[in-house]
Amino acid sequence: MISDTTTSARYRVTNGVLSYGIPFRIYSGTDVAVFWSADARADTELTLGTHYTVTILTEGGTVNLLPGVVPVGSILAVVSNIPATQEADFSSTSTVSTEALETQLDRTVQMIQQLNYMASRSVVLPATSDETPQEVLHGVYAARDDAEASASTAATSENAAAASADNAASQANAAAASASEAAQSALEAAGAVPDNLVERVTATETKNTEQDGILNAHGDRLDSVESGITALSTTLIGCVIPMFAADGYVPNGCVLPDAAEYTESQFPTFYTDYLAAGRIVTCTYAEFAAQVALTGDCGKFALDQVSKKFKVPLYKDGDSITHAASTAEIGRSVQAGAPNATGKIGLDASIAKWVKLGTKGVFEIELDPEGTAGNSNSYVNTHAMTFDLSRASSVYRDDITTVQTDGVRLRHFVVLASSQNNASVFDWSAYMAALAGKANVALDNLTAPAEHQIRERTKLVPLGSRSTTGEWTLTDVAVGRLLLLVWVPASATQDAWIQAIVTSGAVLGSWPNSPNTGMHMGTYTTWGSTNVMAVKPTSDTVVINIRSKQAGTLYAEQL
């Protein structure tokens, strides 16, 4: 009798386990089929005797895998495989064996179960469908053929797109070379025929426009960059642009000319292709500092190729940008100056009086209103001579303190990235992403938790106080963080002082001290006054020996 409808079993092959159960009745080793798969998509059928053996039990049995046949972790399927044959031969004249008849009936039921199992795992048309299996199969094949054709078309299109991109790059390179030749021609023409310089430059700009058009016609390669980055202009990298920009606004790809320092890792394209390559005039850090000390500004990039860093130019308020006639003049700061103004006044030395022999330029004689006029060439009680540059020229005014030219002031920005160079745009995107979530210089974009953390980490933490002499031990000191010793006099009297020395756990700052007495704080007739001393802790325990004191208390606090 067959009461169980199970015809298959699936197992996950485990390391060290070779025997797997057969949950249905079998009559010989060939009545079971064994398959394995790594991903349950494609089966591999195993061979009896070569890959496994079968142990037959009363109800079912076991499949015994040979070592190394099926990889650990694979899926093993054990399926009923009773052949569709009738092996019993019953005679009408002989006695029928009920056991043989029962066995044959069981085998027949199991064959039916196998058919049901296979049907349940087959694609079955709906009962309401009027299609034949052959028609459905034909549709599947047709869909397969269409998919293969589409894939082939897509591959062809991809190859064509790649070829088109290569062609675009070649055209762009050709356009760039043509633009370079045109620029060189323009420079040569400038020396020979200055009148046609404008036309040559216009031709160069036209070729640059054509180059941009070629690149744009073959697709935007910056689709993955945020809209603010793709909006970068085609402004030439390394130039300075003026803008009617409000406070707090800095255009994409630009930074302020404030001598800020950046690194190669932040802007690799600008550093390598423009600064290190010599396309932009630079100076050393020392030269940059010297120029700033002289004029308060510097129009060059400072470059340090050892540390791989650079500084942008520094413009001070009111700086103007003028034309440089040569490379040597590029970025050079010009100190403010004004034309000299001179004058002359006469003095009659023989009578030791100022005499109005004549004044010129910026000088003028003022007469004492109470004075008495002498002869026609002299004045008695003349007492003042004035000097006023505005008498010589109206450019000298009382309302300014430095040389000032006519003009309109705008904010200026240094361009470090633009769509002129796609790689620079990606550098800018990475730079802006790195800034996301960081506090600005004004600290006005701090979140409440961040502000709380800053306040907690910068507030003074009291470590105790001492009003008597002797050894004072401070514990729970944070190593490396500033330790302040604050002397608070009891009154504002002359003699309110303390003499102490740090004996261990810290290094004194540069406050008044001597090898014998250590630090002096407060006021005393023989030495100066200081009420705060900075100590650098080198241990979490600092020992201070207060040798003598008068009229006050020493407090210890740490940031």
Side-chain angles (χ1 to χ4, degrees):
M1 180 179 70
I2 301 297
S3 59
D4 190 357
T5 59
T6 302
T7 57
S8 67
R10 283 189 295 274
Y11 303 96
R12 180 73 66 177
V13 177
T14 305
N15 187 27
V17 178
L18 297 177
S19 296
Y20 297 88
I22 302 174
F24 45 82
R25 186 180 301 175
I26 59 174
Y27 308 94
S28 68
T30 58
D31 288 347
V32 59
V34 182
F35 305 86
W36 76 271
S37 174
D39 56 5
R41 289 179 176 270
D43 290 339
T44 299
E45 185 173 4
L46 301 181
T47 302
L48 178 63
T50 302
H51 301 128
Y52 67 96
T53 61
V54 175
T55 300
I56 302 174
L57 303 176
T58 303
E59 294 293 334
T62 59
V63 170
N64 309 303
L65 298 175
L66 298 182
V69 172
V70 180
V72 173
S74 300
I75 299 173
L76 187 74
V78 178
V79 182
S80 177
N81 189 40
I82 296 176
T85 58
Q86 203 284 98
E87 298 177 354
D89 186 11
F90 298 105
S91 172
S92 59
T93 59
S94 62
T95 303
V96 176
S97 170
T98 56
E99 182 178 357
L101 180 60
E102 177 73 16
T103 298
Q104 190 57 44
L105 290 175
D106 289 344
R107 286 170 54 86
T108 302
V109 170
Q110 287 181 280
M111 294 176 197
I112 296 172
Q113 290 177 342
Q114 290 176 185
L115 291 175
N116 287 338
Y117 171 73
M118 296 301 296
S120 68
R121 300 182 63 82
S122 303
V123 177
V124 180
L125 296 178
T128 56
S129 175
D130 59 358
E131 289 184 292
T132 64
Q134 290 78 10
E135 291 173 338
V136 173
L137 184 61
H138 177 74
V140 171
Y141 286 153
R144 180 202 62 186
D145 295 340
D146 290 343
E148 291 178 349
S150 297
S152 177
T153 301
T156 302
S157 299
E158 181 181 3
N159 294 333
S164 178
D166 292 338
N167 186 43
S170 299
Q171 293 183 52
N173 291 333
S178 178
S180 177
E181 293 173 1
Q184 182 61 35
S185 299
L187 292 175
E188 294 172 355
V193 188
D195 292 339
N196 73 347
L197 179 59
V198 174
E199 289 79 2
R200 293 293 183 92
V201 173
T202 301
T204 302
E205 292 175 346
T206 301
K207 289 185 177 294
N208 283 335
T209 301
E210 293 172 356
Q211 176 185 349
D212 292 339
I214 292 171
L215 290 175
N216 292 334
H218 291 278
D220 182 11
R221 297 184 179 184
L222 305 178
D223 290 339
S224 62
V225 185
E226 61 267 32
S227 60
I229 301 303
T230 55
L232 286 172
S233 69
T234 56
T235 306
L236 295 178
I237 294 174
C239 73
V240 176
I241 58 172
M243 283 192 66
F244 291 93
D247 288 340
Y249 170 70
V250 177
N252 280 319
C254 300
V255 297
L256 292 171
D258 56 1
E261 185 177 77
Y262 302 94
T263 64
E264 179 195 29
S265 61
Q266 291 174 312
F267 296 103
T269 301
F270 180 73
Y271 181 93
T272 302
D273 295 351
Y274 293 87
L275 296 180
R279 292 185 180 181
I280 294 176
V281 177
T282 62
C283 64
T284 65
Y285 266 53
E287 292 169 339
F288 189 95
Q291 184 65 60
V292 172
L294 179 64
T295 61
D297 54 14
C298 184
K300 294 182 181 179
F301 287 85
L303 179 62
D304 182 349
Q305 294 191 1
V306 176
S307 301
K308 296 187 181 301
K309 59 184 180 179
F310 65 93
K311 286 185 178 181
V312 296
L314 173 63
Y315 293 163
K316 65 176 183 289
D317 187 37
D319 273 349
S320 60
I321 302 175
T322 57
H323 175 67
S326 65
T327 302
E329 291 292 309
I330 292 178
R332 186 173 70 86
S333 298
V334 180
Q335 262 185 306
N340 190 25
T342 62
K344 178 181 179 182
I345 189 167
L347 173 64
D348 188 342
S350 63
I351 58 175
K353 290 185 176 67
W354 290 101
V355 180
K356 195 172 184 181
L357 297 178
T359 59
K360 293 181 180 180
V362 298
F363 296 101
E364 183 182 30
I365 294 177
E366 291 185 354
L367 301 179
D368 184 348
E370 304 297 329
T372 304
N375 60 38
S376 60
N377 292 323
S378 65
Y379 293 84
V380 180
N381 296 328
T382 297
H383 72 291
M385 176 183 68
T386 62
F387 179 89
D388 189 348
L389 288 174
S390 64
R391 298 181 188 278
S393 173
S394 61
V395 299
Y396 298 101
R397 296 160 26 202
D398 294 331
D399 60 331
I400 60 175
T401 58
T402 187
V403 176
Q404 179 173 299
T405 60
D406 292 337
V408 177
R409 292 192 177 187
L410 300 176
R411 293 181 68 203
H412 288 76
F413 303 94
V414 182
V415 181
L416 299 185
S418 82
S419 55
Q420 177 204 18
N421 187 315
N422 286 343
S424 74
V425 176
F426 287 108
D427 294 346
W428 181 261
S429 176
Y431 172 71
M432 295 303 295
L435 291 181
K438 294 185 177 180
N440 58 27
V441 175
L443 299 181
D444 56 9
N445 65 335
L446 288 177
T447 61
E451 183 175 359
H452 174 73
Q453 286 294 324
I454 291 177
R455 292 184 182 277
E456 286 296 314
R457 295 185 183 187
T458 56
K459 70 179 183 180
L460 289 174
V461 178
L463 298 179
S465 62
R466 180 88 171 194
S467 299
T468 59
T469 59
E471 195 171 80
W472 182 24
T473 301
L474 301 176
T475 59
D476 297 327
V477 178
V479 177
R481 297 178 65 178
L482 184 65
L483 174 61
L484 297 178
L485 299 178
V486 183
W487 170 250
V488 179
S491 64
T493 61
Q494 173 69 20
D495 295 331
W497 48 266
I498 185 172
Q499 293 179 336
I501 188 169
V502 176
T503 57
S504 66
V507 178
L508 278 175
S510 57
W511 271 258
N513 62 80
S514 67
N516 296 325
T517 58
M519 57 184 174
H520 293 164
M521 301 176 69
T523 57
Y524 193 63
T525 55
T526 59
W527 36 267
S529 171
T530 182
N531 288 329
V532 180
M533 189 191 73
V535 175
K536 180 181 179 182
T538 58
S539 170
D540 59 1
T541 301
V542 176
V543 179
I544 300 172
N545 185 8
I546 301 176
R547 295 182 172 181
S548 60
K549 62 169 289 295
Q550 179 172 317
T553 303
L554 186 63
Y555 291 85
E557 297 181 334
Q558 189 171 30
L559 286 175

